[in-house]
Amino acid sequence: MAVFSTCLLVLLAVTATSASCNPNAATTRREWGSLHPAQRTEYIDAILCLRHRPSVIPSSQYPGVRDRLDDFVATHINYTSRIHDNALLLPWHRHFLFLWERTLQDECGYTGGVPYWNWSLATSNLSASPIFDGTNTSLSGNGAFDPAACDGHCNPGGSGGGCVTSGPFKDYQVHLGPFNNSDAEPHKPPPLHAFDYNPRCLQRDFNPQYLAQYNNATVLEQLRAATDIDAFLTLMDPSREGVTGAHGGGHRAVGGAMSDVYSSPQDPSFMLHHGMADRMWALWQGGDMETRREALNGTAVMHDEPGGTLVTPDFVTEFGVLDRPRTVRELMDPMRYDYCYRYE
Ligand SMILES: *[C@@H]1O[C@H](CO)[C@@H](O)[C@H](O)[C@H]1NC(C)=O
Ligand SMILES: *[C@@H]1O[C@H](CO)[C@@H](O)[C@H](O)[C@H]1NC(C)=O
Ligand SMILES: *[C@@H]1O[C@H](CO)[C@@H](O)[C@H](O)[C@H]1NC(C)=O
Ligand SMILES: *[C@@H]1O[C@H](CO)[C@@H](O)[C@H](O)[C@H]1NC(C)=O
Ligand SMILES: *[C@@H]1O[C@H](CO)[C@@H](O)[C@H](O)[C@H]1NC(C)=O
Ligand SMILES: *[C@@H]1O[C@H](CO)[C@@H](O)[C@H](O)[C@H]1NC(C)=O
Ligand SMILES: *[C@@H]1O[C@H](CO)[C@@H](O)[C@H](O)[C@H]1NC(C)=O
Ligand SMILES: [Cu+2]
């Protein structure tokens, strides 16, 4: 008994200091196409459930925030110019996804992990992908062809532009935006009227060309083979140079609401897209965890302009009403601190 207790104490001490979770207890995140139809339906229902729950952000101050899902959208809008095209992109969105997953579980009884979207499965035809095929176990399909109706973010050559016409989000209303991506500049607060109520349909504008170019199987291999975080970010998010990478490619390939840098979390595919970005980061880190766990390169300023303060593990980043502020260190390992998830 004494031996047993000692073991237990040692075990607890080890757990507390390394703050590492038991891999057998980890939440598993799976590719949408590998989910059973009932699991897909469970995820869809959980999203719809959030829309029937009250927001924490007060609608009186933020009129466009009408439900619990809008808390996530408005938080993302609020921090847009601090968390994109820079060193915080990956850690901040990793935590955003984690908070989303936990909220679906805690408030809507969802039992799975947040699914992800393997981009290279759909590089030629998004409408043929189980995420976007428009069936009732998809996240709805393309927008109706309407080149004039694309929320100011028209994809050249896009095949939709208008409201989604099929699937579970056919009658879905988004509440916030649209925004002009040009307003997202270093040090700028959210634009005036950023939180106005503007109910309208979910728009999409599929253009798989972006996936073929920026998210193809070769790119996925190159991401895993990147020799340092700088090389990884050059493929994932080279926006410091004003060009698209795998992160931007997924956003633009779906188009419509997903092309809006501020309010793209309104598209239900946002979390799956960022799940894949997070997965590629985790896979890369896992290739050499000890040296890559805290690998960071860049600032907390949009576009990573030269001269900005570099983000270190001690840097503190905010999540509004969704969570307390976090050090970046807490967001670097899927198996440490509050995290306990893995990708299949
Ligand atoms: C994505 O899917 C393709 C096609 O099935 C597969 O070959 C590839 O390994 C997957 N990529 C990753 C990173 O899982
Ligand atoms: C894409 O896939 C859909 C669904 O399978 C099909 O109806 C459509 O013709 C395909 N489009 C192209 C350009 O191949
Ligand atoms: C989804 O579609 C299938 C076949 O089209 C149908 O049998 C099923 O009842 C539908 N499920 C829901 C939840 O609408
Ligand atoms: C977005 O802002 C830019 C720069 O201010 C402007 O040139 C452009 O016309 C705006 N786009 C839309 C759709 O309003
Ligand atoms: C894959 O993406 C890379 C990087 O954008 C590009 O250079 C290459 O041509 C693409 N491959 C194919 C087959 O399109
Ligand atoms: C960050 O990337 C720049 C190039 O963009 C490189 O010069 C620098 O050495 C990198 N720093 C670290 C700490 O990786
Ligand atoms: C937006 O960010 C500011 C500055 O951190 C914060 O004071 C405010 O509470 C945030 N609002 C929301 C809705 O997250
Ligand atoms: Cu974002």
Side-chain angles (χ1 to χ4, degrees):
M1 185 59 198
V3 173
F4 176 78
S5 312
T6 311
C7 283
L8 200 68
L9 280 176
V10 169
L11 198 73
L12 286 173
V14 167
T15 310
T17 50
S18 73
S20 183
C21 87
N22 174 356
N24 296 323
T27 297
T28 303
R29 297 182 177 175
R30 297 188 168 85
E31 215 280 331
W32 183 261
S34 74
L35 294 180
H36 189 275
Q39 294 173 311
R40 294 185 205 164
T41 301
E42 192 196 351
Y43 184 71
I44 292 162
D45 288 348
I47 296 174
L48 297 173
C49 156
L50 285 187
R51 308 225 64 182
H52 291 106
R53 293 187 54 79
S55 66
V56 174
I57 296 172
S59 301
S60 52
Q61 276 172 272
Y62 296 83
V65 176
R66 298 293 165 121
D67 58 46
R68 190 72 174 117
L69 186 136
D70 291 335
D71 281 341
F72 285 83
V73 180
T75 302
H76 187 270
I77 291 170
N78 197 39
Y79 296 112
T80 287
S81 70
R82 305 195 215 167
I83 56 166
H84 293 106
D85 305 349
N86 63 25
L88 288 180
L89 176 88
L90 295 171
W92 195 91
H93 288 79
R94 168 173 282 175
H95 198 60
F96 190 60
L97 239 68
F98 170 77
L99 296 171
W100 167 259
E101 182 178 73
R102 201 170 62 179
T103 302
L104 292 177
Q105 292 167 347
D106 291 354
E107 299 182 23
C108 289
Y110 180 61
T111 59
V114 66
Y116 67 88
W117 163 32
N118 176 345
W119 306 308
S120 78
L121 293 172
T123 47
S124 59
N125 188 349
L126 278 165
S127 300
S129 136
I131 305 178
F132 296 114
D133 66 12
T135 60
N136 60 10
T137 54
S138 74
L139 299 180
S140 288
N142 202 359
F145 184 62
D146 187 352
C150 44
D151 262 10
H153 304 282
C154 307
N155 275 343
S159 53
C163 303
V164 303
T165 59
S166 57
F169 300 97
K170 182 173 170 295
D171 301 314
Y172 198 70
Q173 275 202 337
V174 304
H175 294 159
L176 292 142
F179 293 85
N180 184 338
N181 288 349
S182 306
D183 286 336
E185 282 304 324
H187 311 295
K188 269 181 83 169
L192 283 176
H193 312 299
F195 303 101
D196 281 5
Y197 181 52
N198 182 21
R200 62 203 189 286
C201 70
L202 175 65
Q203 296 185 329
R204 285 192 183 143
D205 192 11
F206 288 173
N207 189 345
Q209 287 298 335
Y210 287 103
L211 296 175
Q213 196 178 343
Y214 298 109
N215 305 66
N216 62 43
T218 309
V219 172
L220 297 193
E221 281 167 29
Q222 289 170 339
L223 279 165
R224 296 188 69 168
T227 49
D228 56 26
I229 188 65
D230 205 40
F232 184 88
L233 286 171
T234 299
L235 292 159
M236 177 64 79
D237 183 45
S239 350
R240 296 180 269 192
E241 291 93 49
V243 291
T244 296
H247 167 245
H251 276 284
R252 291 188 188 199
V254 178
M258 268 287 271
S259 296
D260 188 319
V261 66
Y262 289 92
S263 61
S264 46
Q266 295 190 117
D267 187 314
S269 69
F270 175 95
M271 301 294 176
L272 278 72
H273 169 56
H274 271 278
M276 184 63 175
D278 186 60
R279 174 168 179 262
M280 295 314 298
W281 183 33
L283 281 169
W284 176 78
Q285 290 183 302
D288 185 359
M289 202 57 178
E290 291 315 312
T291 55
R292 295 176 182 175
R293 176 176 290 117
E294 295 190 350
L296 292 160
N297 191 357
T299 68
V301 176
M302 192 141 192
H303 311 314
D304 219 5
E305 55 183 15
T309 307
L310 289 174
V311 170
T312 66
D314 291 324
F315 188 90
V316 174
T317 186
E318 292 175 29
F319 296 88
V321 300
L322 301 179
D323 197 12
R324 61 176 170 82
R326 297 277 178 164
T327 62
V328 168
R329 179 175 290 105
E330 293 175 81
L331 319 178
M332 297 302 283
D333 185 334
M335 302 294 272
R336 290 197 174 187
Y337 294 98
D338 284 359
Y339 299 160
C340 192
Y341 70 86
R342 60 192 177 85
Y343 289 97
E344 196 171 82

